[in-house]
Amino acid sequence: LAVMKQGEFFGESALDGSKEPRKANVIARSDVEVLSISASDFEGIIGSLTEVLANNLNQRIIDGIELLSYLSRSQRKELVENLKLHRVAKDTVLLEQGQPGTSF
């Protein structure tokens, strides 16, 4: 059982696009005011939650790379928008000595 306080949120899993059933009940124990947004409206305004979270993480990573610190905020943002996720199997060689470098 969790007791929510002002400013806290719930139901964010509806924004991840999975359409999975709710994992808990939320019951108002007193009169309350809540704000809501549909998953489709959220995605139309901000994009998918998964992408937003990934972009935020990627932005923090890019911001922490000293080599890129001279770039403007907009340049670093553009870098984040162009990053591509690659799923790599165990023991896959990611860089091979002697081969030309074509990506970072």
Side-chain angles (χ1 to χ4, degrees):
L1 175 67
V3 177
M4 308 296 288
K5 296 180 178 72
Q6 183 175 347
E8 294 184 307
F9 57 90
F10 55 88
E12 68 279 5
S13 62
L15 302 176
D16 71 6
S18 67
K19 300 192 189 240
E20 298 232 356
R22 302 279 189 190
K23 295 181 176 124
N25 295 324
V26 177
I27 302 167
R29 298 290 184 197
S30 64
D31 293 344
V32 296
E33 292 180 334
V34 296
L35 300 172
S36 69
I37 187 168
S38 71
S40 61
D41 286 346
F42 182 92
E43 190 162 330
I45 296 166
I46 297 176
S48 81
L49 180 61
T50 304
E51 290 175 15
V52 169
L53 294 175
N55 280 344
N56 286 344
L57 174 61
N58 292 342
Q59 188 69 58
R60 286 194 306 270
I61 291 168
I62 293 295
D63 289 348
I65 298 174
E66 189 173 339
L67 174 70
L68 305 176
S69 64
Y70 71 92
L71 298 175
S72 70
R73 182 83 178 147
S74 63
Q75 288 173 312
R76 291 193 311 267
K77 185 174 188 258
E78 188 174 351
L79 273 177
V80 167
E81 291 168 355
N82 285 282
L83 290 174
K84 293 174 181 57
L85 176 64
H86 302 273
R87 301 218 182 267
V88 180
K90 180 181 176 184
D91 297 326
T92 300
V93 176
L94 298 174
L95 296 175
E96 189 172 344
Q97 182 178 357
Q99 295 298 313
T102 60
S103 64
F104 171 70

